[in-house]
Amino acid sequence: MTALDGKVVLITGAGRGQGAAEARLCAEAGARVVLTDLREEEGRAVAAELGGQGVFVRHDVADPVGWDAAVRAAVDAFGTVSALVNNAALWRTAHVEQQSLEGFEELIRVNLLGPFLGIRAVAPVLRAAGGGSIVNISSTAGLVGIPGHAAYGSTKSGLRGLTRSAALDLGADRIRVNSVHPGAVDTPMVAGAVAGRDWAHLALGRMGRPEEVGGLVLFLCSDASSYITGAEFTVDGGMTAA
């Protein structure tokens, strides 16, 4: 039931890391994938791996006009959109007293405003298709407090609220909205910052792999999750279990 044959999945931030892993897994499951990113060279390279199943669109998720263009490109290329994965995000840390206003606002624009604009842009297409799935990639920082994460954690907590409210607003249209909360995942965005860190305190004793997040995203995009909406899923090796 996790096959995605006939489905079209739009994934933001798909040029590398979790987004690229999600794109590859969705394509392997039979989906056609629209990959968006500001990292044009990397995004086009991942799309090329997918052959005729992949299309790349350069896209700033904080730009409403860019969202309209991305959704239109998906419809032009593949006829519809079946699922949206709001994966694109910025991760930056700072003590709350040292956090700049400009930096806080930038994280809000990308991590929270971006998914809101995406939901708003894709909902009419999903509705016309008879329903679909929206997956918002939040974080364990949206579930628990973490030092140095005043800005990032605020955006990811906000994404939880957006997910729940959107699930209620869109449920009658058979559009499901869920959030995924990764912990420490070995991606280019975080690997350098945590190099050499000991993960023995986690139940599973290691960082996660992008494919382990991607597998859950695949499930939530598929018909196997057809009765799940407004829910939160952790992929954190036990980080939030204690």
Side-chain angles (χ1 to χ4, degrees), residues 4-85:
L4 298 181
D5 296 323
K7 296 189 183 297
V8 178
V9 183
L10 194 161
I11 304 174
T12 66
R16 63 177 188 172
Q18 283 180 191
E22 292 155 8
R24 294 183 182 106
L25 287 171
C26 287
E28 288 172 9
R32 290 165 292 175
V33 184
V34 180
L35 307 88
T36 87
D37 210 308
L38 284 174
R39 299 174 179 274
E40 188 165 357
E41 184 175 349
E42 291 169 294
R44 290 192 183 282
V46 178
E49 292 179 30
L50 309 185
Q53 289 179 254
V55 169
F56 174 77
V57 179
R58 190 179 188 279
H59 174 211
D60 176 0
V61 296
D63 176 16
V65 175
W67 268 109
D68 291 340
V71 173
R72 186 167 57 251
V75 173
D76 289 346
F78 299 127
T80 190
V81 177
S82 312
L84 166 65
V85 183

Side-chain angles (χ1 to χ4, degrees), residues 19-149:
E22 292 155 8
R24 294 183 182 106
L25 287 171
C26 287
E28 288 172 9
R32 290 165 292 175
V33 184
V34 180
L35 307 88
T36 87
D37 210 308
L38 284 174
R39 299 174 179 274
E40 188 165 357
E41 184 175 349
E42 291 169 294
R44 290 192 183 282
V46 178
E49 292 179 30
L50 309 185
Q53 289 179 254
V55 169
F56 174 77
V57 179
R58 190 179 188 279
H59 174 211
D60 176 0
V61 296
D63 176 16
V65 175
W67 268 109
D68 291 340
V71 173
R72 186 167 57 251
V75 173
D76 289 346
F78 299 127
T80 190
V81 177
S82 312
L84 166 65
V85 183
N86 279 313
N87 173 81
L90 296 177
W91 176 65
R92 293 173 186 161
T93 62
H95 187 282
V96 65
E97 292 180 279
Q98 279 74 56
Q99 176 63 60
S100 70
L101 174 61
E102 295 78 13
F104 204 119
E105 289 178 335
E106 184 178 26
L107 290 186
I108 289 174
R109 285 195 301 274
V110 174
N111 297 359
L112 185 54
L113 178 62
F116 159 71
L117 293 172
I119 292 169
R120 194 177 66 172
V122 81
V125 180
L126 296 179
R127 184 180 298 113
S133 175
I134 297 171
V135 183
N136 293 324
I137 307 299
S138 181
S139 167
T140 51
L143 298 172
V144 298
I146 301 175
H149 284 66

Side-chain angles (χ1 to χ4, degrees), residues 132-134 174-178 220-222 225-229:
S133 175
I134 297 171
R174 299 179 60 195
I175 299 171
R176 300 178 294 105
V177 191
N178 295 287
L220 291 173
C221 289
S222 77
S225 59
S226 59
Y227 198 55
I228 299 174
T229 195

Side-chain angles (χ1 to χ4, degrees), residues 208-219:
R209 298 186 297 273
E211 294 76 15
E212 291 173 311
V213 179
L216 178 55
V217 170
L218 169 61
F219 166 73

